[in-house]
Structures are given as structure tokens and as C-alpha cells.
């Protein structure tokens, strides 16, 4: 686990704001923010349903936007903040884009590929490892996800 930076909570609050926006689209409430130095260079939320694209996860969309903004596919020097532990797709994109640091809110025991099911971002067999900080605003991120999925199971008439 990496050190907690002074701005981690603030950037995670921004990611949670993005996750809440996902709810407006009926999306799973995951938000992501990418920071380079002390500047937010990209932010996104899940849009898989709206785009009819299984790869339109908050993290992958933010990575695409950050790469475009920086003019390079290598996102060295960047930190990605995600409200939920990234899945296999997103963890792979984080490694491939050479993001230095990942900060996430709550674990994802069913799909998490950073610590829960797999350790893609820290696997020494890969050519890049990511510094990981977990649990920032854990309760808020978990509550948002639980509320969303509870609504799917128990729809109101």
C-alpha cells in the first residue's frame, strides 16, 4: 500500500461525484479521476449502457481522455482515483498505460483485479507495477454501490 497523499480524499470526492453522475444514466456508479502532478487531467464515469460498449468503464474512459490530453499513451506521472477496485479490463489498461499510482475506495469481491481476485497491478511478471492505495472514502463508495444494486434487486413499484 502506498502513502496517503494530502489530496487523496479531495480527488476521491471528485471521483464519487462522477460516480453519482453515472446514476443519472442508469449506470453502475463508478467514477474515475486522473491527476498529473496536482492537476486533474481527466474524469469519467461508467457509460457502458449509454454507449452500448462493454469497455466504457469509468477508468478506461478516463485513461483515454488523459492520453488525449497529454498527447501520449504513456501516463507516467499520473495517479488514477477510482471509487471501486478496478476489474480485469481496467487493471490491464492501468498497467498498459504506465500509470504510476492507483487509489481506490472500496474493494470489488466479484470482479476486482487489483487485490480481491487478481493482483494485476502489482504482478512482478508484468513490465509495470503500480503503487496502490486502497480504502480512501471506502464507506461512501461502498454505500453508493450497495444502494445501486439494492435498487436493482428491490425495484419500487
Amino acid at each position: 500500500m502506498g502513502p496517503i497523499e494530502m489530496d487523496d480524499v479531495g480527488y476521491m470526492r471528485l471521483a464519487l461525484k462522477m460516480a453519482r453522475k453515472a446514476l443519472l444514466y442508469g449506470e453502475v456508479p463508478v467514477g474515475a479521476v486522473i491527476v498529473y502532478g496536482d492537476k486533474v487531467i481527466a474524469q469519467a464515469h461508467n457509460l457502458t449502457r449509454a454507449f452500448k460498449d462493454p469497455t466504457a468503464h469509468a477508468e478506461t474512459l478516463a485513461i483515454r481522455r488523459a492520453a488525449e490530453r497529454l498527447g501520449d499513451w504513456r501516463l507516467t506521472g499520473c495517479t488514477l482515483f477510482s471509487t471501486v477496485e478496478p476489474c480485469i479490463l481496467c487493471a490491464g489498461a492501468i498497467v498498459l498505460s504506465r500509470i504510476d499510482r492507483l487509489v481506490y475506495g472500496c474493494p470489488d469481491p466479484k470482479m476486482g483485479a487489483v487485490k480481491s481476485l487478481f493482483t494485476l497491478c502489482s504482478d512482478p511478471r508484468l513490465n509495470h507495477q503500480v503503487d496502490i492505495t486502497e480504502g480512501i472514502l471506502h464507506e461512501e463508495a461502498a454505500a453508493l454501490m450497495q444502494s445501486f444494486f439494492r435498487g436493482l434487486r428491490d425495484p419500487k413499484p
Side-chain angles (χ1 to χ4, degrees):
M1 183 185 312
I4 295 176
E5 301 293 329
M6 206 134 73
D7 293 322
D8 284 0
V9 171
Y11 292 128
M12 188 60 74
R13 286 196 195 290
L14 184 55
L16 283 164
K17 183 178 177 183
M18 295 305 296
R20 287 184 199 96
K21 277 184 156 185
L23 290 173
L24 299 175
Y25 294 89
E27 301 281 355
V28 176
V30 178
V33 171
I34 297 181
V35 176
Y36 181 70
D38 62 352
K39 303 238 186 291
V40 173
I41 61 166
Q43 47 190 324
H45 56 76
N46 276 1
L47 284 168
T48 55
R49 292 178 182 175
F51 287 2
K52 295 175 182 51
D53 178 355
T55 69
H57 292 195
E59 300 93 334
T60 58
L61 293 171
I63 288 169
R64 289 175 191 150
R65 292 172 185 167
E68 184 176 333
R69 175 103 187 259
L70 293 179
D72 195 349
W73 64 269
R74 289 183 189 90
L75 300 181
T76 305
C78 291
T79 298
L80 187 149
F81 292 83
S82 178
T83 56
V84 179
E85 177 185 5
C87 69
I88 295 168
L89 169 76
C90 297
I94 290 165
V95 170
L96 291 172
S97 65
R98 310 299 195 271
I99 287 174
D100 289 339
R101 184 167 177 248
L102 167 67
V103 180
Y104 66 90
C106 65
D108 184 347
K110 295 186 185 261
M111 292 293 289
V114 175
K115 186 174 181 186
S116 294
L117 298 177
F118 305 100
T119 56
L120 244 77
C121 291
S122 58
D123 190 321
R125 296 172 297 175
L126 300 176
N127 64 349
H128 179 73
Q129 288 80 46
V130 180
D131 184 31
I132 301 162
T133 302
E134 59 185 299
I136 303 299
L137 298 180
H138 171 274
E139 294 79 16
E140 290 92 332
L144 195 56
M145 293 292 283
Q146 290 164 356
S147 172
F148 175 79
F149 285 108
R150 190 176 313 114
L152 290 180
R153 286 190 304 275
D154 304 322
K156 293 187 171 110

